Amino acid sequence: MAVQNPFFGKRETETFQPRHNPVTPSSSVNSVAPSSASTSAATVTAAVAAKAPAENTGSKLTVGPNIKLKGVEITDCDTLVVEGTVEATMDSRVIQIAEQGAFRGSADIDIAEIRGEFNGTLTVRDKLVVYGTGKVSGKIRYGKLVVEEGGQLSGEIEVGVGPSARAAGAARPVDAPAPAVALA
């Protein structure tokens, strides 16, 4: 007589209850910045914290530590948090790469906060923030740029995302770490 395993048996119908995480004023980028941050780091953090409530809404994908996500196309994701390794193509609103995180591939996004490594083609329509531990290499296009002391940019870097920037020949190769730049 065959014994039916309940794991593979008929499932009860379940109703889906989405979780809603309320946005609180205390959940800002300031809690992520190290306590020994310099004045420029406080400026960078304050500039990013102004947009934090808008970033916490919508769909969010977190790739945790020790997780490797390879060969995918990420779409319809408002915020991607990378704590592990991602090799992908994405079109999104926000990408946040943690210190231990790495992204390789192509990304078209509105806001990028890089504390780890990005290697590939990065197009940031609004603001690119590279923290002191961040390393960005490849073909980089951005609208606004904030680089904390210690942050590194290398490759082909182009200011302005629109076609007028390309016509003006704004692209230039860069191979050395970028100096500290604080733009608000």
Side-chain angles (χ1 to χ4, degrees), residues 64-89:
N66 302 321
I67 302 293
K68 295 178 182 175
L69 184 63
K70 184 176 179 180
V72 297
E73 181 178 341
I74 302 170
T75 58
D76 299 329
C77 175
D78 290 324
T79 303
L80 173 66
V81 178
V82 180
E83 297 171 346
T85 303
V86 175
E87 294 183 25
T89 300

Side-chain angles (χ1 to χ4, degrees), residues 29-104:
V29 177
N30 289 335
S31 63
V32 179
S35 60
S36 63
S38 65
T39 307
S40 64
T43 305
V44 170
T45 304
V48 175
K51 294 193 178 198
E55 295 171 6
N56 290 334
T57 60
S59 59
K60 182 175 183 178
L61 173 63
T62 301
V63 178
N66 302 321
I67 302 293
K68 295 178 182 175
L69 184 63
K70 184 176 179 180
V72 297
E73 181 178 341
I74 302 170
T75 58
D76 299 329
C77 175
D78 290 324
T79 303
L80 173 66
V81 178
V82 180
E83 297 171 346
T85 303
V86 175
E87 294 183 25
T89 300
M90 74 174 291
D91 189 353
S92 180
R93 282 189 52 239
V94 179
I95 185 170
Q96 298 171 336
I97 302 177
E99 283 187 37
Q100 67 276 21
F103 186 100
R104 293 176 192 89

Side-chain angles (χ1 to χ4, degrees), residues 110-134:
D110 292 334
I111 299 171
E113 299 174 8
I114 314 294
R115 289 180 175 85
E117 295 184 28
F118 183 98
N119 188 3
T121 303
L122 176 62
T123 301
V124 182
R125 294 180 284 268
D126 188 15
K127 184 186 273 188
L128 169 59
V129 181
V130 182
Y131 290 88
T133 56

Side-chain angles (χ1 to χ4, degrees), residues 96-178:
Q96 298 171 336
I97 302 177
E99 283 187 37
Q100 67 276 21
F103 186 100
R104 293 176 192 89
S106 175
D108 291 323
I109 49 183
D110 292 334
I111 299 171
E113 299 174 8
I114 314 294
R115 289 180 175 85
E117 295 184 28
F118 183 98
N119 188 3
T121 303
L122 176 62
T123 301
V124 182
R125 294 180 284 268
D126 188 15
K127 184 186 273 188
L128 169 59
V129 181
V130 182
Y131 290 88
T133 56
K135 296 178 183 179
V136 181
S137 61
K139 184 175 181 180
I140 306 157
R141 296 174 66 200
Y142 62 88
K144 297 177 187 173
L145 176 65
V146 178
V147 179
E148 189 177 79
E149 184 176 352
Q152 298 178 15
L153 294 173
S154 64
E156 183 180 323
I157 301 172
E158 185 175 337
V159 65
V161 179
S164 61
R166 182 163 290 203
R172 62 187 185 280
V174 176
D175 290 326

